[in-house]
Amino acid sequence: MPQIELCEISKSFTVRRKKAAAQVIRALYKVSFTIEEGALIGLIGPNGAGKSTLVKVMSGILTPEGGTCVISGRVPWKQRTAHVAEIGVVFGQRSQLWWDVPPNDSYDLLKDIYAIKTPAFNKRLSELTGAMDIGGLLNTPVRQLSLGQRMRCEIVAALLHSPKILFLDEPTIGLDAVSKLALRDFLKEENKKSGVTMILTTHDMTDVEALCSRVMVIGRGNILYNGNLETLKQTYSSEKPAEVIQIYQNIDEIIANMYREMKI
Amino acid sequence: MTRSLKAFAAMFKIEFFKGIQYRTAAAVNSVVGLFWGIIEIAVFSAFYLYANDKTAAFFASLTLRQVVTHVWLRQAVIAFHPQNIEEDIRGKINNGDVGVELVRPVPLYLLWFSKTAASRLVLFLFRGTIILFSMFLSGIYKISAPVSVTGFLLFLVSLVSAFFLCAAFGMFVTSLRLAVDWGDGLTYIPLIAANVLSGSYLPLQLWPDFMQKFLLYQPFAGYLDIPLRFYIGSVKAGEALPSLIAQVLWTVFFIAAGNIITAKNVKNIIVQGG
């Protein structure tokens, strides 16, 4: 049985406009897919395609208007507290650490909130701080960390309670090359070692290339492609055989090409 | 229950660390409170000193000594009063970080109640120093001892009750904030009304006589005035138990209302823009 199962999930927003009628935006429209345990999935799509909305539905934050979603046997928005105890979420543009205090204090708080036993917590924390190389940052107030340092601390925060599923919403946004590579290595390793299912949204195609076994393309609130990256590349670069090799070097162009063809 | 206690303990810990991080600000806050108290007492003594035949009746319900003690205790207890939606929570509602709060395995109301209550309690600990200082002042400015041991014990019970009432009302206003998507404006009205009716500007017993029944049983007497009446010994015969019960009932009411409104709005929550 798949770990994540979505069937015809729909979610829309009303946007009020100046001097015009309110507009209903269908962020997701009858989205269906399944994900097996231990998979590493890349969710891509242009800005406003519905990626973040999808992640928020799966993590129990948003209640969809229609459709069913079952994750590890639970409906996220109905059994929210039980569901979120088993997932980890990283929002690249938001922080879950307490701004005024050092990460260590935030971790202590998370330990209490997730009711993690002390020995397990200590072991996990030293494991993660080692892997993410944040040992030296633990006692610096979060507001004084750089973005890359903070993001590493955020990832540790999301994994402290050993979640079974990790949602990453644009985790590499704004990171420099070194941090990005370190983060990718870490995620890959964590996926291999603990078998955590990971679902990440990103605009950085190199993230997807480096990490994901499967990509899902979202546009206009629908899943437009669901499969491996190689096939996707071939489909959207095969039209100009002479330039295949050249285009292959630039995955962003392939994706832009695909978005244009799909008219999203 | 253990979960709520744990959540609260955790929140208290982090709020306390935050308070220590900004200890200079907290110390300044207390110094301001001390000066404010001295000025208020000066004004009150002038009123009492120059009361004439007409106005004397007005001050008859409390002695100057009782008012002075009221002023000093209030400087600390006022820390419980929600002056605004808890800063952290307000920020999260306004910028969409409420999504981050919803991925915690604790009901949102409980999480925020703990946060609201914890931040107030930390402020109370810092402002408690004002009472200590006021013990060393001389003459009319000095705080009095509690009227009796029973009075002091009832004061403590009522004070704990006030703490929960304040947090419950703060959370009630927070839940209202979740229900409107056009800004903070609405929330200031109930918060300011609560401050006025709490007796933190003028002890409720100095208000006109015909309002006394209403004042005692409206929700905000429990913020401050009821516990302080036990300490200064101005509780009228037969009003001790009813006022304590009113305090608890209002707390239960605001917790229930806040819970319902929060739960309803979590379903309709919208987090846009990444």
Short mmCIF file of all heavy atoms in Angstrom, two decimals, chain B residues 34 72 129-139 141-143:
data_model
loop_
_atom_site.label_atom_id
_atom_site.label_comp_id
_atom_site.label_asym_id
_atom_site.label_seq_id
_atom_site.Cartn_x
_atom_site.Cartn_y
_atom_site.Cartn_z
N LEU B 34 7.98 51.59 38.49
CA LEU B 34 8.22 52.15 39.82
C LEU B 34 7.92 53.65 39.83
O LEU B 34 7.20 54.16 40.70
CB LEU B 34 9.68 51.88 40.21
CG LEU B 34 10.06 52.16 41.65
CD1 LEU B 34 9.33 51.23 42.60
CD2 LEU B 34 11.57 52.01 41.83
N TRP B 72 0.62 49.59 43.96
CA TRP B 72 1.86 48.81 43.87
C TRP B 72 1.62 47.38 43.38
O TRP B 72 2.35 46.88 42.54
CB TRP B 72 2.60 48.78 45.21
CG TRP B 72 3.25 50.09 45.53
CD1 TRP B 72 3.12 50.81 46.67
CD2 TRP B 72 4.13 50.84 44.67
NE1 TRP B 72 3.85 51.98 46.59
CE2 TRP B 72 4.48 52.02 45.38
CE3 TRP B 72 4.65 50.67 43.40
CZ2 TRP B 72 5.33 53.00 44.85
CZ3 TRP B 72 5.51 51.64 42.87
CH2 TRP B 72 5.83 52.78 43.59
N THR B 129 9.50 42.65 40.86
CA THR B 129 10.54 43.38 41.58
C THR B 129 10.04 44.75 42.06
O THR B 129 10.52 45.27 43.05
CB THR B 129 11.78 43.60 40.69
OG1 THR B 129 11.34 44.18 39.45
CG2 THR B 129 12.48 42.30 40.39
N ILE B 130 9.04 45.29 41.33
CA ILE B 130 8.51 46.61 41.72
C ILE B 130 7.92 46.53 43.14
O ILE B 130 8.11 47.42 43.95
CB ILE B 130 7.44 47.08 40.72
CG1 ILE B 130 8.06 47.21 39.33
CG2 ILE B 130 6.85 48.42 41.16
CD1 ILE B 130 7.08 47.56 38.26
N ILE B 131 7.22 45.41 43.40
CA ILE B 131 6.62 45.25 44.73
C ILE B 131 7.72 45.21 45.79
O ILE B 131 7.61 45.83 46.85
CB ILE B 131 5.76 43.97 44.79
CG1 ILE B 131 4.60 44.10 43.80
CG2 ILE B 131 5.24 43.73 46.20
CD1 ILE B 131 3.65 42.93 43.79
N LEU B 132 8.81 44.48 45.48
CA LEU B 132 9.92 44.41 46.42
C LEU B 132 10.45 45.81 46.72
O LEU B 132 10.66 46.18 47.88
CB LEU B 132 11.04 43.54 45.85
CG LEU B 132 10.74 42.05 45.75
CD1 LEU B 132 11.94 41.31 45.17
CD2 LEU B 132 10.40 41.49 47.12
N PHE B 133 10.63 46.61 45.68
CA PHE B 133 11.13 47.98 45.89
C PHE B 133 10.18 48.79 46.74
O PHE B 133 10.59 49.55 47.62
CB PHE B 133 11.34 48.68 44.54
CG PHE B 133 12.63 48.31 43.88
CD1 PHE B 133 12.65 47.69 42.63
CD2 PHE B 133 13.85 48.58 44.51
CE1 PHE B 133 13.84 47.34 42.04
CE2 PHE B 133 15.04 48.23 43.91
CZ PHE B 133 15.05 47.61 42.67
N SER B 134 8.88 48.59 46.47
CA SER B 134 7.89 49.43 47.16
C SER B 134 7.86 49.15 48.66
O SER B 134 7.36 49.96 49.43
CB SER B 134 6.51 49.25 46.53
OG SER B 134 6.02 47.97 46.83
N MET B 135 8.44 48.02 49.08
CA MET B 135 8.49 47.71 50.51
C MET B 135 9.50 48.60 51.21
O MET B 135 9.44 48.77 52.43
CB MET B 135 8.89 46.25 50.72
CG MET B 135 7.81 45.28 50.34
SD MET B 135 8.46 43.60 50.45
CE MET B 135 7.06 42.69 49.85
N PHE B 136 10.44 49.13 50.46
CA PHE B 136 11.50 49.92 51.08
C PHE B 136 11.24 51.41 50.99
O PHE B 136 12.06 52.22 51.39
CB PHE B 136 12.85 49.58 50.43
CG PHE B 136 13.24 48.15 50.67
CD1 PHE B 136 13.09 47.21 49.67
CD2 PHE B 136 13.72 47.76 51.91
CE1 PHE B 136 13.43 45.89 49.89
CE2 PHE B 136 14.04 46.44 52.14
CZ PHE B 136 13.91 45.50 51.14
N LEU B 137 10.10 51.78 50.42
CA LEU B 137 9.77 53.20 50.36
C LEU B 137 9.28 53.64 51.74
O LEU B 137 8.95 52.81 52.59
CB LEU B 137 8.70 53.45 49.30
CG LEU B 137 9.15 53.16 47.86
CD1 LEU B 137 7.98 53.27 46.91
CD2 LEU B 137 10.28 54.08 47.45
N SER B 138 9.24 54.96 51.95
CA SER B 138 8.83 55.42 53.29
C SER B 138 7.52 56.18 53.23
O SER B 138 7.05 56.56 52.16
CB SER B 138 9.94 56.30 53.88
OG SER B 138 10.09 57.43 53.05
N GLY B 139 6.95 56.37 54.39
CA GLY B 139 5.73 57.16 54.53
C GLY B 139 4.56 56.57 53.76
O GLY B 139 4.39 55.37 53.72
N TYR B 141 4.13 56.26 50.75
CA TYR B 141 4.48 55.54 49.52
C TYR B 141 4.72 54.05 49.73
O TYR B 141 4.83 53.29 48.79
CB TYR B 141 5.73 56.18 48.88
CG TYR B 141 5.42 57.53 48.31
CD1 TYR B 141 5.64 58.69 49.07
CD2 TYR B 141 4.90 57.67 47.03
CE1 TYR B 141 5.33 59.94 48.55
CE2 TYR B 141 4.58 58.91 46.53
CZ TYR B 141 4.80 60.04 47.29
OH TYR B 141 4.48 61.26 46.77
N LYS B 142 4.85 53.65 50.96
CA LYS B 142 5.17 52.25 51.25
C LYS B 142 3.95 51.34 51.09
O LYS B 142 2.84 51.69 51.47
CB LYS B 142 5.70 52.17 52.68
CG LYS B 142 6.32 50.84 52.99
CD LYS B 142 6.92 50.86 54.39
CE LYS B 142 7.22 49.43 54.75
NZ LYS B 142 8.14 49.22 55.78
N ILE B 143 4.19 50.17 50.54
CA ILE B 143 3.10 49.19 50.39
C ILE B 143 2.73 48.61 51.75
O ILE B 143 3.61 48.47 52.61
CB ILE B 143 3.53 48.07 49.40
CG1 ILE B 143 2.34 47.17 49.04
CG2 ILE B 143 4.66 47.24 49.98
CD1 ILE B 143 2.67 46.16 47.95
#
